[in-house]
Amino acid sequence: MTTLDENQNPHESLLALLTQGEDDTSGLPLSNVLIADFSRLLPGPWSTQLLSDLGATVIKIERPGSGDMSRANAPHFKTRSVYFNSVNGGKHSVTLDLSSSEGRAIAHKLIAQSDVVVESFRPGVAKNLDIDYTKAKELNAGIVYCSITGFGQTGPLSHISGHDLVIQALSGFAGLSAQDDKAPDVPGFQAADYAGATMAVIGILGALIKRKNTGEGSNLDVAMFDSLFAMCNISQTASMARKVGNTGTPAIEVWGGNPRYATYLTADNKAVAVALLEKRLWVNFCTAIDREDLIDHDERLEDRHSDHGGKAAEYRAAIADCCRAKNRDELIDEMTRHGVPMCPIYSPDEALNSENVAGRGLIEHASHPEEGDIPQIVNPLALSGLARRHRPHAPDVGDANNEVLNALGFDADAIENLIKNGVI
């Protein structure tokens, strides 16, 4: 077990012990920030992984034994969850039974030494566990405390679990794909989870700057619903117009109703995305397919995001016929030569192995002693030097128990007793 340097305080010791051999975080903006991460599943862990990429030392607190339930999520590399690794890379795991007084006492010691606390319990649970903001502030006056929930700590829906689909449904976002006699499609992206995670990161960074300027901590109430709803400003334009008595029409059309901004099938039953919003691009396309008759020389700027009214059916038919006449890759090659922005709709495998992902350096590999070299999606800020490019793999359950407890003042005998009593 690594030993504590008696000349260092616990905060410095935790940073020193947990960053040994990780020189790639030196010089990063959060290299001196310690985060106690009590979150699970997606929004909280992804947000703290981003902060870890920026240099923060993140201690992930998990239940003894099984740990974060997302460790069980398929698919796997060999035995470990790909999903879990994708949102928990670069962290250090400590197991604590927070239902026990001993576990809570250790959590209090950790909170007292941390710069940031992140939790994603249902409202009221953190208070019941005695690790809520009131307790955290008592232990550490300058703490930045971030709670991530589905609907916030207050409000009529605060008691509802924060499942992504529920939040997308209630935000109006999922309803954008509604059709007559057909329920909207289940969204293919966890927009609410990632919106909440992104807002949490922004809030934490802002709170750290505030603390540096004023010495004051912060209590952040980040709701996934609020975060996604704030990002629905474009989809809410018509409803906001109606809110002040206007008709909301013509509505901005970027959801498939504009035939020049839509998806189409090709001869080989693959699909392409067509983005011919601007008039000059539409002219390029019409010229490329010898259909100059479709060019409207009186087209106005406001037609760009419209459904093109009575011309829509003819436009859609012409694009569909063009796409159906060729295989996907052949079509893309031809349109690219004519300066027409069509692109293939990739499967996840095609996207992962695409030339652009490789060219931007968005995939790196982490070496794992049992899994081998496992792929990681690189933080986009690495290109700007603000985040590390090589993120270590996700931790095993309790991999940092000894180091963290030792830095908090527990000796080997005390740690052994905690193990025997099921506290860690």
Side-chain angles (χ1 to χ4, degrees):
M1 181 173 66
T2 309
T3 58
L4 171 65
D5 182 346
E6 61 183 13
N7 295 318
Q8 290 181 310
N9 65 36
H11 179 277
E12 292 171 343
S13 296
L14 286 164
L15 290 175
L17 295 176
L18 297 176
T19 56
Q20 290 180 349
E22 294 186 16
D23 294 335
D24 58 339
T25 63
S26 62
L28 292 177
L30 300 185
S31 60
N32 293 315
V33 172
L34 179 64
I35 299 176
D37 180 9
F38 292 88
S39 69
R40 301 164 292 171
L41 301 175
L42 178 53
W46 194 68
S47 68
T48 53
Q49 178 176 269
L50 289 179
L51 295 167
S52 171
D53 289 344
L54 296 175
T57 296
V58 179
I59 298 174
K60 181 179 177 67
I61 296 89
E62 303 185 72
R63 67 180 69 182
S66 60
D68 186 329
M69 65 185 76
S70 67
R71 287 181 178 274
N73 287 4
H76 300 85
F77 290 115
K78 290 182 181 175
T79 60
R80 289 168 176 80
S81 168
V82 177
Y83 169 98
F84 181 82
N85 186 76
S86 73
V87 297
N88 287 289
K91 302 179 188 179
H92 310 275
S93 173
V94 168
T95 52
L96 284 180
D97 178 4
L98 294 174
S99 67
S100 69
S101 59
E102 298 97 327
R104 290 193 295 274
I106 295 171
H108 292 166
K109 286 179 176 288
L110 181 57
I111 291 170
Q113 300 303 326
S114 297
D115 298 288
V116 179
V117 169
V118 178
E119 61 91 0
S120 59
F121 299 112
R122 296 187 312 278
V125 173
K127 181 176 177 60
N128 292 339
L129 295 174
D130 199 25
I131 57 169
D132 61 332
Y133 175 66
T134 300
K135 183 64 178 182
K137 186 178 181 182
E138 176 188 318
L139 296 165
N140 185 341
I143 196 72
V144 172
Y145 191 99
C146 179
S147 300
I148 305 174
T149 57
F151 295 93
Q153 300 297 306
T154 61
L157 300 180
S158 60
H159 63 287
I160 297 179
S161 296
H163 291 296
D164 180 89
L165 181 59
V166 171
I167 294 165
Q168 292 207 43
L170 290 172
S171 71
F173 187 74
L176 291 170
S177 63
Q179 302 175 31
D180 292 340
D181 301 321
K182 181 181 181 297
D185 295 331
V186 174
F189 178 70
Q190 293 76 25
D193 285 317
Y194 285 106
T198 301
M199 203 60 68
V201 171
I202 295 170
I204 289 167
L205 293 175
L208 288 171
I209 294 173
K210 172 190 169 185
R211 187 179 69 179
K212 181 179 180 181
N213 293 337
T214 68
E216 298 178 358
S218 296
N219 183 19
L220 307 180
D221 175 8
V222 177
M224 294 157 58
F225 178 86
D226 300 1
S227 303
L228 181 62
F229 190 72
M231 294 180 179
C232 287
N233 55 309
I234 301 301
S235 61
Q236 289 287 354
T237 51
S239 55
M240 286 193 287
R242 288 189 287 272
K243 188 81 171 175
V244 298
N246 206 323
T247 63
T249 58
I252 189 169
E253 181 47 73
V254 291
W255 319 112
N258 182 344
R260 287 161 47 176
Y261 195 79
T263 59
Y264 293 88
L265 287 174
T266 56
D268 50 357
N269 210 35
K270 294 182 179 180
V272 294
V274 173
L276 303 172
L277 291 174
E278 290 78 14
K279 179 181 177 180
R280 63 179 179 81
L281 299 177
W282 179 243
V283 169
N284 287 351
F285 172 74
C286 293
T287 302
I289 65 169
D290 295 323
R291 287 294 308 273
E292 286 86 350
D293 59 295
L294 295 176
I295 298 172
D296 180 0
H297 295 287
D298 296 323
E299 185 173 306
R300 303 164 301 169
L301 186 61
E302 52 263 41
D303 294 326
R304 179 172 177 264
H305 278 300
S306 73
D307 61 9
H308 292 284
K311 304 181 184 71
E314 193 173 18
Y315 285 178
R316 193 176 297 275
I319 301 171
D321 289 346
C322 169
C323 294
R324 270 296 192 187
K326 297 181 183 295
N327 290 337
R328 185 192 72 180
D329 294 346
E330 179 187 3
L331 173 68
I332 297 301
D333 288 342
E334 179 179 335
M335 290 295 110
T336 300
R337 289 195 301 273
H338 287 280
V340 176
M342 283 189 190
C343 71
I345 296 178
Y346 280 157
S347 68
D349 289 83
E350 287 178 308
L352 183 69
N353 295 292
S354 68
E355 183 179 76
N356 192 58
V357 167
R360 293 290 290 174
L362 295 178
I363 294 292
E364 291 284 346
H365 290 78
S367 179
H368 192 283
E370 297 176 21
E371 301 287 347
D373 286 342
I374 54 179
Q376 305 265 35
I377 297 177
V378 174
N379 188 309
L381 294 176
L383 288 171
S384 305
L386 292 174
R388 58 183 169 189
R389 174 171 293 280
H390 302 282
R391 181 192 305 128
H393 60 77
D396 286 339
V397 178
D399 76 334
N401 278 353
N402 286 350
E403 285 81 0
V404 170
L405 291 171
N406 182 237
L408 293 175
F410 294 84
D411 60 22
D413 290 339
I415 293 173
E416 185 62 32
N417 284 332
L418 290 170
I419 295 172
K420 287 180 180 178
N421 293 332
V423 178
I424 63 174

